[in-house]
Amino acid sequence: METIWSQTKQLLEKTLSPGLFNLWIKPLAARACDGALELVAPNAFVAAWVRERLSDSIAEAAAVAMGARPQVFVVEAGATAAPIAAPSASGRPRRQPGQRPAGPRPVAAPLTLPVAPSAPPALADRFRFSYDEFVVGPSNEMAYAASKGICDLSLSAEQLFISSAPGLGKTHLIQAMGRRILGGQPGRQPRVAYLSAEEFANRLVMAIKTKQVEQFKAAFRENVDVLLLEDVHFFRDKPRIQDELLNTLKALNARGCRLVFTSSFLPKELSGLDSQLLSRINSGFLAVIDKPDLDMRRRILARKAAVHQVLLPEEVSTLLADKLPSDVRQLESCLQNLVLKAKLLNCRISVDLAWDVLRHYDVAQAPVSLDDIVSYVCDVYRLSPDQLKSKSRKRQYVLARNTAFLLARQHTDLSLADIGVQFNRRHSTVVKGITALERHLSLKTPLGRELERTIEQMRG
C-alpha cells in the first residue's frame, strides 16, 4: 500500500497546485483493498473538503498506480470505518453486517486546521534548484546579481521583485536563494518561508473559517525572517487577502526582514491590486528577466547535457536553440526527451533524431502577427472578428478573447495596453484574462488541457 499511495501522491503533486497538494494531500494516510482506496484525514473538516473537491483527482491518479480506477472513501482519524471488502455486483464495496458506512461523524467541537497555523517551514531539500545550475547571460545577469545580493546582505535594498514571462528562470532563482540562505551563513539559521501566493491565500481562508486568524498572523508576521512569495499576480481582485498581505508585509518590513516576490507581470501591469500593497511590493529592487539570446540558449543546453552525461553535437545544440527561443523550460524538456529517446533506441543523438522530437514542440517559424492570431482564434471558436472584439460576455466569446490575449502575449512584442486596444479592452482586462488561463494551464484542468492543445496547434 505504501508504494501505491506514494505513486499516487507523486502524480497528484504534478497535477495539483503546490498549495492544494501541501495543504490537503500531504496530511492524508491511505490503505487499499480490492479496488477501493480509503483515505484517513486528520479531522472532519479536511475529510469533508477532500471528499467534495479532490475525490475525482485522487481516483484518477490512483488508477495509474493501481491499474484501475478505485472507489475513494475519505474518513477522519479515529472514525470507525467499515473494513473494505470486495466490491458487489454494482461495483461498490460491501459493508460488513451491522457496521455503519464510512464517513465523517458529527463533530461538536469547533473545526481546526489540519496542521498548526504556522508559516510553511522551508527545508533545504525543498529547493530543487541552486545557483550552480543557473546559466547567466545578458538577459538575466541583473536578476542573478540582485538575488545573490539579497542572500549575502550586500544589496542596498531588502526587497526584490523578479518579473519575467513563464519559463525563463524566476522559480529557479527564488529557489536558489532559499537554498543559499538556509545553507550559507553561520550562527542562527534564518527562518525562511517559501510558498506561492495561492498557498498563502488558502491558508488565510482556512484560518478565517476555523477562527484561527490570530495564529495565522503570528505565524507569518513574527516567525519569518525571509519571505519568498511566488506569483503575486494571483492576489488580483482579492481585497480581503490583499489587506492581510499588506499588514503582513508592513510587520515584516518593520522587523527588517528580507522579502522576495515573483510574477509573470511587471508591477505597473498588476491592476486589481490595492495601491498601498502595490507600492509596498514595488518598494525594493526590480529585476526583469528577458528571453535568452542564441548563445545563451546553447550554453543552457550544454550545461543540461552535462547533467544528463551525454554528448550533444554542436549542430543539434544550434538546432534546438534556434527552434525554441522563448521558453527555457521547453528547451530543457525537449533536451530531456531527446536524451531519453536516444537511450531507448540505443543510438547517438543526431539532427534527424532532434527533428523527430521537435515536431512535438512549438518551434519557431515565421513571426506570428496579431492578425494571424485573430484569424486562428476565430477559426477555433467559430466566431467572426467582430464577435471576438465585441462587448459580449458570453462564455465562448470571453474564452476566445482570453486565448487571443495569451497568444498575443506569447507571440508578439505588443504591450498589454496595446493588446487591449486591439480588442477594445483595458489592459487590466487583458491581465485578468491571461491570469485566468495560466491558472487552468498550471493546474491542468480539463479546460487547461484543451487550451494546451489549442496553443500547440497554432504552429501546426
Side-chain angles (χ1 to χ4, degrees), residues 37-336:
L37 179 67
E38 183 181 275
L39 305 175
V40 181
N43 56 51
F45 180 78
V46 176
W49 205 98
V50 172
R51 187 184 304 110
E52 292 172 6
R53 294 172 174 84
L54 295 178
S55 291
D56 287 342
S57 298
I58 293 171
E60 289 178 7
V64 177
M66 299 175 67
R69 183 184 174 95
Q71 293 282 333
V72 176
F73 300 90
V74 188
V75 299
E76 62 176 301
T80 305
I84 298 176
S88 64
S90 64
R92 298 180 178 179
R94 297 189 181 94
R95 285 184 283 113
Q96 300 298 320
Q99 289 184 317
R100 299 173 62 187
R105 297 177 300 175
V107 180
L111 297 177
T112 58
L113 287 165
V115 292
S118 60
L123 304 177
D125 59 2
R126 186 181 179 190
F127 299 114
R128 297 182 294 123
F129 302 114
S130 69
Y131 282 112
D132 294 337
E133 304 158 350
F134 194 77
V135 178
V136 183
S139 65
N140 62 19
E141 57 187 353
M142 184 72 74
Y144 175 81
S147 68
K148 294 189 75 172
I150 289 282
C151 296
D152 303 336
L153 302 175
S154 60
L155 193 70
S156 57
E158 293 178 330
Q159 284 188 205
L160 174 62
F161 188 107
I162 304 175
S163 174
S164 82
L168 296 184
K170 299 187 299 295
T171 296
H172 191 137
L173 269 186
I174 200 170
Q175 289 201 8
M177 294 177 70
R179 176 178 285 193
R180 187 180 184 94
I181 291 171
L182 284 178
Q185 301 166 358
R188 186 180 73 86
Q189 189 81 293
R191 296 167 296 181
V192 179
Y194 168 58
L195 69 166
S196 68
E198 183 178 8
E199 187 174 353
F200 181 93
N202 286 341
R203 285 174 172 264
L204 175 58
V205 170
M206 284 190 62
I208 293 171
K209 288 182 176 180
T210 56
K211 305 187 187 311
Q212 297 196 42
V213 175
E214 293 305 316
Q215 293 92 322
F216 176 90
K217 291 179 179 179
F220 280 94
R221 300 182 191 183
E222 302 171 14
N223 296 309
V224 171
D225 300 312
V226 182
L227 176 63
L228 308 176
L229 190 61
E230 290 221 65
D231 299 328
V232 293
H233 51 270
F234 177 83
F235 293 122
R236 292 180 64 258
D237 301 321
K238 297 177 175 62
R240 174 66 179 86
I241 296 173
Q242 289 182 34
D243 288 345
E244 177 55 34
L245 178 62
L246 175 60
N247 290 325
T248 297
L249 298 185
K250 287 179 179 179
L252 294 175
N253 282 142
R255 291 178 43 233
C257 301
R258 286 171 279 179
L259 310 175
V260 182
F261 312 103
T262 72
S263 176
S264 299
F265 303 95
L266 290 167
K268 67 179 182 179
E269 297 171 337
L270 291 175
S271 59
L273 284 187
D274 176 78
S275 59
Q276 291 188 61
L277 175 60
L278 185 58
S279 175
R280 182 76 56 168
I281 288 176
N282 197 28
S283 64
F285 194 91
L286 171 63
V288 179
I289 302 177
D290 296 316
K291 295 177 182 178
D293 59 21
L294 179 63
D295 178 66
M296 185 175 170
R297 297 196 297 273
R298 291 181 60 181
R299 288 192 289 119
I300 291 172
L301 287 168
R303 179 74 61 86
K304 295 300 178 180
V307 171
H308 291 295
Q309 298 182 330
V310 297
L311 176 64
L312 188 66
E314 183 177 348
E315 59 272 21
V316 173
S317 175
T318 301
L319 174 64
L320 298 184
D322 182 55
K323 294 301 180 182
L324 297 171
S326 59
D327 190 332
V328 174
R329 191 179 294 126
Q330 291 297 300
L331 192 65
E332 294 176 354
S333 171
C334 184
L335 177 62
Q336 290 173 349

